Amino acid sequence: MNAAPPQGDTPMSRRGGVLPSHAHAAAPSTNARDEEHRPAALRRAEELAAALARHGIAADVHELASGRATVSIYYGLIAYTDGEEFRWTSPKLSRRGRPLAVSEAMTAAAAERLAEHYRILCSRPLTDVLGSELPLLADVLVADHVVPR
């Protein structure tokens, strides 16, 4: 009744999947399949966080209800991605004395620029950073998840 499968065939479970003992040979890894189903924005945000780690900067990734993702780097330094490009507010000021909006498509270039902005913010007193017009993570999360009435 339980005949061995022909040479080269992979036994299937009752649900149609590959049996665990042969899963590694016949099916793509779970991680590869999971990666295909993850939103592009989340994948790109995690790539940026990994690139920042190579600069010695720890960052948190947050998936937003809007489908975008954020990379929280430091007080006032939050990068957003829609899966195609990264955007953030620079601590460098414009000629009018206001923070500048920045965008970058390449992960490595974004990490380089963000590392520079991180160093700028770390050199400032925290009270100056918190009192500036730079975004804070809590504000971003509330704005994305709470519908005003």
Side-chain angles (χ1 to χ4, degrees), residues 106-126:
M106 303 301 295
T107 304
E112 288 285 333
R113 293 176 76 182
L114 284 162
E116 176 187 345
H117 295 163
Y118 173 82
R119 287 189 293 277
I120 290 169
L121 287 172
C122 285
S123 70
R124 294 181 184 169
L126 190 53

Side-chain angles (χ1 to χ4, degrees), residues 23-101:
H24 67 277
S29 73
T30 302
N31 290 340
R33 280 183 284 156
D34 289 347
E35 189 66 22
E36 291 174 14
H37 291 77
R38 293 164 49 93
L42 186 58
R43 286 194 312 267
R44 292 290 310 272
E46 289 171 344
E47 290 170 9
L48 180 59
L52 287 165
R54 290 189 285 278
H55 288 274
I57 300 170
D60 296 326
V61 172
H62 302 273
E63 185 175 9
L64 301 175
S66 63
R68 297 184 310 161
T70 64
V71 181
S72 176
I73 303 154
Y74 190 73
Y75 299 101
L77 189 57
I78 301 169
Y80 302 84
T81 183
D82 57 2
E84 293 185 22
E85 67 179 351
F86 300 100
R87 295 179 181 272
W88 67 94
T89 303
S90 169
K92 293 181 179 180
L93 301 178
S94 70
R95 292 182 184 157
R96 295 183 179 184
R98 310 224 5 142
L100 296 169

